[in-house]
Amino acid sequence: MHKIWNFHGGVHPVENKTQSNQLPIIVMPIPAQLTMHLSQHIGKVAKAIVETGDYVLKGQLIACAQGFVSANVHAPSSGHVSAIADRTLPHQSALSGPCIVIDTDGKDQWATLSPTANPESLSKPDLLNLIQAAGITGMGGAGFPSAVKLQPKINIHTLVINGAECEPYITADDRLMREYAAQIIAGIQLVQQLIDQPHCLIGIEDNKPEAVAALTYAADQHTNIEVCVIPTKYPSGGEKQLIEILTGKQVPHGGIPADIGMVCQNVGTVKAIFDAIILGRPLINRITTVTGKAAANAGNYEVLLGTQVADILAFAKVDLAKTSRLVMGGPMMGFTIQDTHTPIIKSSNCILAAADLELAPVADHHACIRCGQCEVACPAQLLPQQLFWFAKAEEFEKAQDHNLSDCIECGACAWVCPSQIPLVQYYRYAKGRLKTINSEAQLAEVSRLRFENREQRLVDEKLAKEEKRKARALTAAAAQAAKRAANPSAEDPVAAALARVNLKKQAKTNAATQKSTEDEYKELKTAAAITRTKLNKTRKALTNAQAQDHEQAQALQQTVIALTTKAAAAAAELHAYEAKLGLDPEKEKTLQLAVAKANGVVRKLEKSLATAENLQQLEAEIFNAKAIHEAAGLALEEHQANAKEKPTSTQES
Amino acid sequence: MQTLYLAIVILALLAIVCGAILGFAAIRFKVDGDPIVDQIDSLLPQTQCGQCGHPGCKPYAQAIANGEAINRCPPGGETTIKALADLLDLEAIPLDAEHGSEAIRTIAYIREDECIGCTKCIQACPVDAILGAAKQMHTVIVDECTGCDLCLEPCPVDCIDMLPVEVTSASWHWQQPEQLIATSNLPHSRGESDHA
Ligand code: SF4
Ligand code: SF4
Ligand code: SF4
Ligand code: SF4
């Protein structure tokens, strides 16, 4: 007999398992429609590889895993894809997510499968590939892709198989162990083969004697598989708790079992691994418990993934009028479902149709009296009341420092709390906020880098432009000089202007002053733009406020008036400054437009040159257009240069 | 008398040794840039919207380091003010309404069939989150957009919308439970307390 340890805390809620574990598993008939979610797992959403109207066979791959942490999705029965669209997710948010909807044809025709006769011959990569291809994810609750979990970086000495099923009402694993013991043992052997033959411990709570007997019998021949009976206590089925019970070792804070050389798998998952490798069948169905006082035919059903909750409820004769609350999962960790069209996914182990008063109603909660009972109950050895205060006061970082991330959301603390505080919801809220804060911080970091890169780029561009302009002006001046040398009498006004500009440029002594002028101008421009934006925003707010709240509207009115004067002042200041600089934005714009236009004409002519017949005329035209373009460019440059020179000269004079 | 001299000599030597160590450390462990400005900058939301009156978050960080008030950043709101107050050991003051109010995060979307490809919004975007070229349709890279609103004004055909960030199943999270009794000290309730 293997030695059993204990874990801190835990509670003993009423088990309520006999309602559903008396009858063998019943196979549910194929429903008319299957809704396959593309994210039934933790990680990236799978990508649909079929299209609306396609005919798919049972077991055919319909969506591909994306990236390392993701899982494939297969068609659970044959039929036509009727839609690829968003449907309600089996998630407490009741949001929608991408789905492939299959209208089944009832033929249930399998795709070609490739079973393996002698699995001993398979190499590790082969085994991993088969598990990955079958889209297997943890069937116990979290839905983490198994192929990822089974590629540990360090040597694994113990494989822990989770058959504890500690949550009240749920009996899916219980029935599975009773009826598929041999398959489970064979699945365990495959996993052992994959991760270097670790010793295997199967943990089962002592309230499931039949399951214990079945597995002990099936594991009889195998010396490195041990069935361990553990005392019934919630949440012994938590991964870290089960490991502590079976080995006495604790997974470090924030760590995973692999850190201490262990891997944990649910019994349902190893059965799925058996199906995938030995039978070649991907994960397309699961055992789901339907229970609660409102269910006339409570029991365990083998359902196809994607079956809607409504279909299952009808099949199990659930009286919806009697149901006060419909829960997916168990009473401790499950969530209420609003929409019965929500489909079953890989990790849906239970549907609980609770009649009136069966589950404690959501009661008014009172202030925390610091009784400390939650701390006694917490299996993760946290300080629940402390975490609660932090979550309530929105001190998320402090909650993080108190190992909030180690909370497994088991609900033991809330269950014992005499003040009936919904503690778990506080923790989920705090965890959610922390996640948002972290992702926002990441986004901010990206924005900061992009902003800095852009600033740098703008500076570089400006410098490069300046260089180019100078070089062009110089060559132009040289050409003009040469022309003048050849023909001294003709005084070209453009050339003269350019020469003047160049002279001034060369005598540019006041670079610093010029720069600061430019900066000042930019600042004024920004200020004017910002006041304008602000004014617009406040105006908008005012219109909103006027519709609702009179007092606030008055205050806003004041702000608008103040801002209007401010904006006017900023604009006036800007104009004055522009005048002082001799800048004329309007003129500059017209000139810019002229340049662009001329450039356009050149381009167009050049293009038609390729196909044109009277080449000579076109060439002449292009020559003309180019000349116009050049002249426009020069005029613009001169205008800009003048504007820049002016303040320098005014200061000089 | 001799002990006095000895004491003076020892103290002097000690002072020289310590001075040398400190001097060496100052050179060896020199921090590049202005650490306090960077620290302040890292607390600002990096929306780069200019509502604080500065052309970006970094300039505002610089201004705060030079003594400007810490309550001028509407996108950061209370959280940022609190963080800044913690860092600078100042009192957390309410947001300066003159610079705007805290609003939900939005992201720019260009109504692409109305875009005339003028590139004006590209020039306005402080984080280069808009993609496009002259006379081509433009589009916003939603993952990079900070929601600063700066691209709205320059658009000559008003084809840019600011839409609230959508809640997805990945970003959704539980709200704080509703406070049900009067003795509570929480200012307001936030969500439903439906906890299964
Ligand atoms: S929900 Fe979290 S804090 Fe409460 S008992 Fe469970 S692990 Fe501990
Ligand atoms: S059990 Fe409830 S009342 Fe007691 S300390 Fe914990 S949170 Fe407070
Ligand atoms: S107001 Fe805008 S620019 Fe200023 S610090 Fe805040 S986010 Fe940055
Ligand atoms: S796209 Fe518009 S709102 Fe988004 S960051 Fe750029 S300028 Fe700001």
Side-chain angles (χ1 to χ4, degrees):
Chain A
M1 188 69 198
H2 189 82
K3 180 170 181 291
I4 298 294
W5 282 261
N6 192 5
F7 67 92
H8 177 270
V11 291
H12 295 93
V14 186
E15 286 167 27
N16 278 315
K17 299 224 181 208
T18 47
Q19 291 96 314
S20 56
N21 72 358
Q22 302 301 312
L23 297 171
I25 297 167
I26 299 164
V27 178
M28 206 189 122
I30 305 161
Q33 198 174 59
L34 293 164
T35 313
M36 291 305 285
H37 269 293
L38 299 186
S39 101
Q40 310 198 4
H41 48 266
I42 288 178
K44 286 227 178 82
V45 180
K47 191 168 152 245
I49 54 164
V50 290
E51 271 164 37
T52 313
D54 284 2
Y55 184 74
V56 292
L57 293 168
K58 181 175 181 149
Q60 182 183 330
L61 181 67
I62 53 173
C64 257
Q66 297 293 304
F68 186 54
V69 184
S70 185
N72 285 344
V73 178
H74 301 80
S77 187
S78 58
H80 284 95
V81 176
S82 61
I84 298 177
D86 283 4
R87 294 284 191 272
T88 317
L89 291 167
H91 186 256
Q92 47 272 67
S93 66
L95 287 169
S96 304
C99 285
I100 298 177
V101 184
I102 300 170
D103 285 343
T104 55
D105 61 1
K107 291 191 192 128
D108 210 25
Q109 198 179 346
W110 277 98
T112 8
L113 303 178
S114 43
T116 313
N118 48 343
E120 301 79 27
S121 63
L122 289 173
S123 69
K124 281 187 201 170
D126 289 344
L127 285 168
L128 261 183
N129 282 343
L130 287 172
I131 293 172
Q132 197 273 335
I136 298 174
T137 63
M139 314 259 296
F144 193 78
S146 301
V148 180
K149 216 170 161 184
L150 291 173
Q151 301 178 48
K153 293 200 180 63
I154 63 165
N155 189 33
I156 298 298
H157 53 74
T158 310
L159 171 66
V160 173
I161 298 297
N162 192 343
E165 198 162 58
C166 59
E167 185 146 357
Y169 284 98
I170 310 176
T171 57
D173 286 349
D174 182 7
R175 284 306 322 186
L176 183 86
M177 288 187 283
R178 292 192 208 181
E179 295 176 36
Y180 292 96
Q183 285 89 333
I184 290 172
I185 298 296
I188 290 174
Q189 284 180 291
L190 291 169
V191 176
Q192 283 179 317
Q193 187 184 336
L194 175 60
I195 49 175
D196 292 319
Q197 302 296 346
H199 188 66
C200 173
L201 300 170
I202 308 176
I204 307 173
E205 277 191 345
D206 58 12
N207 60 1
K208 296 182 255 302
E210 299 88 347
V212 172
L215 276 181
T216 315
Y217 176 74
D220 202 23
Q221 304 299 317
H222 308 286
T223 48
N224 62 350
I225 301 178
E226 250 181 289
V227 179
C228 311
V229 183
I230 60 174
T232 300
K233 176 163 99 169
Y234 180 84
S236 62
E239 190 173 68
K240 293 178 179 180
Q241 283 66 40
L242 186 63
I243 285 177
E244 191 173 351
I245 296 173
L246 293 179
T247 66
K249 296 207 180 74
Q250 283 192 351
V251 179
H253 280 309
I256 55 166
D259 295 342
I260 51 169
M262 300 190 203
V263 160
C264 189
Q265 291 287 340
N266 176 269
V267 282
T269 317
V270 285
K271 155 82 166 45
I273 290 175
F274 169 86
D275 287 349
I277 293 171
I278 307 296
L279 308 178
R281 290 183 185 177
L283 180 56
I284 52 165
N285 61 12
R286 68 157 296 133
I287 316 287
T288 298
T289 307
V290 182
T291 184
K293 285 211 179 100
N297 289 351
N300 284 291
Y301 296 88
E302 186 185 305
V303 294
L304 295 177
L305 300 178
T307 306
Q308 289 173 5
V309 168
D311 293 332
I312 301 176
L313 293 180
F315 188 66
K317 303 226 161 30
V318 170
D319 186 352
L320 277 174
K322 250 172 81 185
T323 313
S324 66
R325 199 148 129 228
L326 201 57
V327 176
M328 194 170 239
M332 302 293 281
M333 294 182 74
F335 55 91
T336 310
I337 15 182
Q338 326 281 356
D339 182 359
T340 53
H341 296 297
T342 309
I344 290 288
I345 58 168
K346 292 172 184 174
S347 56
S348 317
N349 51 5
C350 180
I351 296 167
L352 173 55
D356 273 342
L357 297 178
E358 193 174 0
L359 293 180
V362 180
D364 289 7
H365 57 279
H366 302 273
C368 169
I369 53 171
R370 296 251 184 206
C371 64
Q373 288 189 41
C374 49
E375 196 190 319
V376 175
C378 177
Q381 282 172 285
L382 303 173
L383 299 172
Q385 83 273 42
Q386 215 52 44
L387 293 175
F388 157 66
W389 287 109
F390 291 143
K392 196 166 150 180
E394 318 226 321
E395 291 179 304
F396 304 117
E397 251 157 57
K398 282 194 191 151
Q400 185 61 71
D401 293 342
H402 280 70
N403 295 315
L404 174 67
S405 55
D406 278 354
C407 167
I408 56 170
E409 300 176 18
C410 66
C413 51
W415 193 78
V416 296
C417 177
S419 293
Q420 298 184 308
I421 304 172
L423 293 167
V424 183
Q425 194 181 336
Y426 276 103
Y427 307 147
R428 286 177 177 163
Y429 165 66
K431 282 183 181 177
R433 282 294 297 274
L434 272 169
K435 211 172 103 190
T436 324
I437 290 169
N438 286 340
S439 66
E440 270 172 10
Q442 265 172 22
L443 195 79
E445 187 54 28
V446 172
S447 308
R448 194 177 62 77
L449 286 177
R450 290 182 76 89
F451 178 68
E452 277 169 11
N453 288 345
R454 177 173 189 265
E455 296 282 281
Q456 188 58 45
R457 199 196 72 216
L458 289 184
V459 170
D460 290 351
E461 263 174 18
K462 211 164 129 197
L463 285 178
K465 221 167 154 187
E466 187 77 357
E467 287 293 310
K468 229 161 128 189
R469 196 180 69 79
K470 258 192 221 155
R472 253 170 53 200
L474 271 178
T475 39
Q480 289 297 336
K483 215 164 144 196
R484 215 170 324 132
N487 186 6
S489 59
E491 178 68 29
D492 188 333
V494 179
L498 253 176
R500 226 169 41 237
V501 168
N502 275 328
L503 268 178
K504 275 185 190 166
K505 279 265 119 159
Q506 273 149 17
K508 193 174 76 180
T509 46
N510 231 336
T513 337
Q514 194 186 335
K515 186 158 181 297
S516 74
T517 332
E518 231 172 78
D519 280 351
E520 248 174 72
Y521 178 52
K522 209 170 139 195
E523 255 167 48
L524 278 175
K525 236 176 161 175
T526 326
I530 287 170
T531 23
R532 244 187 352 255
T533 319
K534 245 186 231 165
L535 180 58
N536 286 345
K537 272 197 176 164
T538 329
R539 274 207 189 121
K540 224 190 253 165
L542 177 61
T543 354
N544 280 346
Q546 269 168 344
Q548 299 164 356
D549 183 349
H550 199 66
E551 253 172 60
Q552 210 197 340
Q554 262 173 359
L556 276 172
Q557 186 99 48
Q558 295 294 330
T559 326
V560 168
I561 293 169
L563 278 173
T564 317
T565 31
K566 226 175 164 186
E573 209 179 328
L574 182 65
H575 283 315
Y577 201 82
E578 275 170 0
K580 191 178 130 208
L581 285 185
L583 276 184
D584 189 348
E586 287 308 312
K587 192 175 171 202
E588 186 162 337
K589 238 183 227 165
T590 356
L591 284 173
Q592 268 173 352
L593 214 70
V595 175
K597 238 190 212 159
N599 192 15
V601 173
V602 175
R603 285 284 118 74
K604 216 166 159 192
L605 286 172
E606 269 176 350
K607 239 190 224 160
S608 51
L609 184 60
T611 49
E613 283 152 17
N614 49 348
L615 282 181
Q616 272 188 346
Q617 198 199 325
L618 256 180
E619 252 162 32
E621 262 179 48
I622 287 178
F623 189 76
N624 274 341
K626 269 192 179 155
I628 295 174
H629 180 214
E630 194 87 333
L634 282 177
L636 178 62
E637 263 163 30
E638 195 194 345
H639 176 81
Q640 281 171 344
N642 259 339
K644 271 187 193 156
E645 288 300 317
K646 210 162 194 171
T648 326
S649 52
T650 40
Q651 260 157 21
E652 273 166 358
S653 59
Chain B
M1 208 52 194
Q2 212 171 3
T3 31
L4 182 67
Y5 283 137
L6 192 67
I8 290 174
V9 168
I10 288 176
L11 279 178
L13 276 177
L14 212 65
I16 290 168
V17 170
C18 290
I21 292 174
L22 283 176
F24 172 73
I27 296 164
R28 176 72 179 74
F29 303 109
K30 192 168 174 322
V31 182
D32 285 330
D34 194 344
I36 189 70
V37 172
D38 284 342
Q39 273 178 39
I40 297 173
D41 193 30
S42 71
L43 294 179
L44 294 174
Q46 307 297 330
T47 308
Q48 317 292 4
C49 62
Q51 286 185 75
C52 53
H54 296 274
C57 299
K58 186 82 179 261
Y60 181 43
Q62 185 70 56
I64 291 179
N66 294 337
E68 198 170 304
I70 56 170
N71 62 345
R72 305 208 167 145
C73 170
E78 301 291 329
T79 334
T80 299
I81 296 174
K82 226 171 106 189
L84 286 172
D86 274 352
L87 174 72
L88 303 168
D89 211 6
L90 295 170
E91 204 176 318
I93 35 179
L95 188 67
D96 186 348
E98 197 190 302
H99 290 268
S101 52
E102 213 174 329
I104 51 162
R105 213 171 98 75
T106 52
I107 277 185
Y109 287 91
I110 295 178
R111 290 197 299 278
E112 293 173 348
D113 40 354
E114 285 169 44
C115 170
I116 54 167
C118 67
T119 75
K120 289 219 161 72
C121 52
I122 295 192
Q123 290 158 32
C125 179
V127 291
D128 285 338
I130 303 180
L131 208 66
K135 305 214 181 84
Q136 307 281 317
M137 173 199 82
H138 285 43
T139 191
V140 175
I141 312 170
V142 286
D143 286 347
E144 314 283 8
C145 172
T146 66
C148 70
D149 289 2
L150 292 181
C151 50
L152 296 191
E153 214 194 66
C155 178
V157 291
D158 277 336
C159 72
I160 307 179
D161 295 322
M162 298 302 297
L163 302 179
V165 181
E166 246 182 69
V167 180
T168 65
S169 56
S171 67
W172 179 91
H173 63 74
W174 286 80
Q175 292 300 306
Q176 209 177 55
E178 218 170 313
Q179 217 56 38
L180 292 166
I181 46 163
T183 52
S184 96
N185 53 5
L186 198 86
H188 52 85
S189 56
R190 279 162 174 282
E192 55 167 328
S193 63
D194 189 0
H195 148 244

